[in-house]
Amino acid sequence: MFVLIVGAGRVGSTVARQALAAGHEVSVLDEDPLSHERLDEGQSTSWEDAGGRFTVGHAIEVEALEEAGIGEADVFIASTDGDNTNLVIAQIAQRRFNVEKVVVRVMDPARASWYAEQGLHTICPTSAAIAEFKSALELA
């Protein structure tokens, strides 16, 4: 399976390393060339030597998405630190490039819910944290 991940921060790089270790073909797109270092962390070889791809570019630009391999993607993961960017590029992957499985990280619970209703698979860490806090308060 070909997985394209946009954003090589803590979340994106961790998911990328796990997907590559699971035998998937993985490409990562990030605007910061230094974020590549996160992909090499804990590896016995470099990211590329392990079979990963890395592209420097802005995910909002179609050319960068194409260079990173969006045309081949079976799975697209938007994991930048910005909800707006994640939501826009997830919709581009879904609607323009017909990527079968699109996963998008959204910090705002209300927006995550609305976009999930529109067909995006949203992950909202804020909702999970709220649920944990609520559970902890009920136990107190």
Side-chain angles (χ1 to χ4, degrees):
M1 183 176 330
F2 184 85
V3 181
L4 173 55
I5 300 170
V6 177
R10 289 185 307 252
V11 172
S13 61
T14 300
V15 172
R17 286 192 307 271
Q18 290 176 355
L20 191 65
H24 300 291
E25 188 177 352
V26 182
S27 177
V28 177
L29 171 64
D30 197 285
E31 62 188 24
D32 179 6
L34 297 178
S35 67
H36 182 278
E37 294 173 5
R38 288 187 197 97
L39 296 168
D40 290 337
E41 286 178 11
Q43 303 281 353
S44 58
T45 64
S46 74
W47 174 250
E48 286 79 6
D49 287 344
R53 290 170 48 183
F54 182 76
T55 305
V56 176
H58 297 280
I60 204 75
E61 297 174 355
V62 172
E63 295 80 16
L65 290 168
E66 290 174 335
E67 183 180 340
I70 196 166
E72 309 164 50
D74 301 299
V75 177
F76 180 88
I77 300 172
S79 65
T80 74
D81 61 359
D83 281 3
N84 292 337
T85 299
N86 287 343
L87 290 165
V88 168
I89 63 177
Q91 290 177 87
I92 290 170
Q94 181 184 54
R95 296 181 181 162
R96 179 169 179 177
F97 291 97
N98 299 312
V99 178
E100 187 175 326
K101 180 77 168 181
V102 176
V103 181
V104 57
R105 181 176 77 169
V106 183
M107 299 304 283
D108 180 340
R111 292 173 83 193
S113 177
W114 190 86
Y115 280 96
E117 291 170 10
Q118 309 313 306
L120 292 175
H121 181 91
T122 60
I123 296 176
C124 183
T126 308
S127 292
I130 290 169
E132 287 292 322
F133 289 134
K134 185 176 178 183
S135 177
L137 290 174
E138 290 171 357
L139 295 174

